[in-house]
Amino acid sequence: FKIEYKRFNTNTGVITELRPTLEAFVHFTYEYTKGYLVVCDLQGIEHNDEFLLTDPSIHCINPLRFGRTNFGKEGIK
């Protein structure tokens, strides 16, 4: 089988490959943390409805956490 690396969504909120499970996960991270953070920029490998994800971005209301891809409150909106 062919393995293809894909970007499913970006750290600016653009959905590039719609996968409802992954979008639900992004929303779950926001809800579970009561809006404190959101995990996004999901990319990796999809195989048989399973995902191996690498290098996500995390937007957090604390701008000093999670590196330069943390867009803070603006990224969470």
Side-chain angles (χ1 to χ4, degrees):
F1 64 92
K2 181 182 172 189
I3 296 176
E4 183 180 351
Y5 191 86
K6 298 178 182 179
R7 172 171 265 164
F8 301 101
N9 61 40
T10 68
N11 64 346
T12 59
V14 175
I15 299 170
T16 54
E17 294 271 342
L18 179 60
R19 299 298 184 273
T21 301
L22 296 181
E23 296 311 312
F25 172 72
V26 171
H27 181 73
F28 170 81
T29 62
Y30 174 81
E31 290 293 327
Y32 186 80
T33 64
K34 297 178 175 53
Y36 180 71
L37 62 78
V38 65
V39 176
C40 59
D41 197 16
L42 301 180
Q43 53 197 317
I45 298 167
E46 175 183 17
H47 180 67
N48 293 334
D49 294 325
E50 293 182 359
F51 301 92
L52 175 62
L53 302 174
T54 63
D55 193 30
S57 292
I58 301 173
H59 298 313
C60 179
I61 60 173
N62 179 347
L64 300 177
R65 299 190 71 191
F66 306 113
R68 63 182 176 83
T69 59
N70 176 5
F71 296 163
K73 291 179 185 178
E74 287 298 310
I76 293 173
K77 282 203 273 185

